[in-house]
C-alpha cells in the first residue's frame, strides 16, 4: 500500500510540475508582450517559453496516463471478448512499456550527451541544453514507471477500462 501511495504522489508531483511550467509559459509570453509594448526586448524569452512548453508536455505524460486521459485506440481491442481480450491487453501494455523504456533511455542519453559535449542553444541566451532537457528525461522516466505500473495492474487483472460515459475506471 505504501508503494501505491508513493507512485500516486510521484504522478501527482509530475503533474504539478507540468502546471508550474505552464505558468512559466504564461509569464514568459506576458513579459514578452509587456516588453514590446514598453519598448524593450527580453532576449531569450521565446526560447524559455519553448523550454517550459516542452517541460510541461513531458512532465504531464504520466499524470495523464494514470488518469485515463490518454487517447486509447480501442478499435481493435473492443472487438475481442473472453479469453483473447486479456492477453491482447497485456500485449498492448508490454509494447507500451517497451516503447516508453526506449524513449526514457534515449531522452536520458540525450541529456548526458548534451552535458558531455557542452551543447548550448543557438539563440542569444546560449543556455546549456542539458538543463531544459532534464525535464524531458524526467518526464519520460516517470512515464515509464507509470506504464510499468499499468502493466502490473493489467497482469493482476485490474486494467483501466473506459466506462459507458467515457470516464475511465478500474476493473477490479
Amino acid at each position: 500500500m505504501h508503494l501505491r501511495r508513493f507512485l500516486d504522489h510521484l504522478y501527482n508531483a509530475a503533474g504539478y510540475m507540468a502546471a508550474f511550467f505552464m505558468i512559466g509559459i504564461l509569464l514568459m509570453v506576458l513579459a514578452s508582450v509587456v516588453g514590446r509594448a514598453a519598448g524593450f526586448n527580453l532576449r531569450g524569452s521565446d526560447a524559455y517559453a519553448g523550454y517550459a512548453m516542452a517541460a510541461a508536455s513531458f512532465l504531464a505524460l504520466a499524470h495523464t496516463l494514470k488518469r485515463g486521459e490518454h487517447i486509447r485506440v480501442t478499435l481493435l481491442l473492443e472487438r475481442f471478448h473472453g479469453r483473447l481480450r486479456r492477453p491482447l491487453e497485456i500485449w498492448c501494455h508490454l509494447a507500451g512499456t517497451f516503447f516508453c523504456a526506449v524513449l526514457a533511455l534515449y531522452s536520458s542519453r540525450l541529456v548526458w550527451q548534451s552535458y558531455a559535449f557542452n551543447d548550448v542553444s543557438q539563440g542569444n541566451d546560449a543556455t546549456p541544453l542539458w538543463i531544459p532537457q532534464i525535464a524531458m528525461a524526467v518526464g519520460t522516466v516517470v512515464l515509464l514507471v507509470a506504464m510499468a505500473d499499468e502493466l502490473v495492474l493489467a497482469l493482476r487483472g485490474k486494467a483501466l477500462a473506459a466506462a459507458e460515459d467515457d470516464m475511465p475506471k478500474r476493473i477490479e
Side-chain angles (χ1 to χ4, degrees), residues 26-153:
L26 172 69
L27 294 176
M28 283 294 146
V29 170
L30 285 177
S32 182
V33 168
V34 168
R36 270 185 246 146
F40 63 90
N41 183 19
L42 290 174
R43 293 183 351 178
S45 63
D46 292 341
Y48 287 111
Y51 300 150
M53 183 177 293
S57 299
F58 280 95
L59 289 168
L61 289 173
H63 186 262
T64 307
L65 174 72
K66 293 308 284 186
R67 292 181 54 93
E69 295 174 0
H70 275 270
I71 296 172
R72 291 186 60 175
V73 181
T74 57
L75 185 63
L76 180 65
L77 283 177
E78 68 188 11
R79 296 183 188 273
F80 293 97
H81 301 286
R83 294 188 313 171
L84 190 57
R85 170 95 184 218
R86 187 162 186 266
L88 224 66
E89 282 276 347
I90 291 170
W91 182 87
C92 289
H93 283 92
L94 275 169
T97 302
F98 171 77
F99 288 118
C100 288
V102 170
L103 183 62
L105 173 72
Y106 281 97
S107 297
S108 301
R109 189 172 142 198
L110 178 66
V111 172
W112 175 252
Q113 287 177 339
S114 293
Y115 177 78
F117 297 135
N118 197 22
D119 200 10
V120 295
S121 69
Q122 299 296 314
N124 293 337
D125 57 324
T127 301
L129 287 178
W130 65 270
I131 296 172
Q133 290 170 351
I134 287 174
M136 178 182 66
V138 169
T140 57
V141 168
V142 176
L143 177 63
L144 171 60
V145 170
M147 200 63 197
D149 184 15
E150 285 295 312
L151 173 61
V152 168
L153 290 172

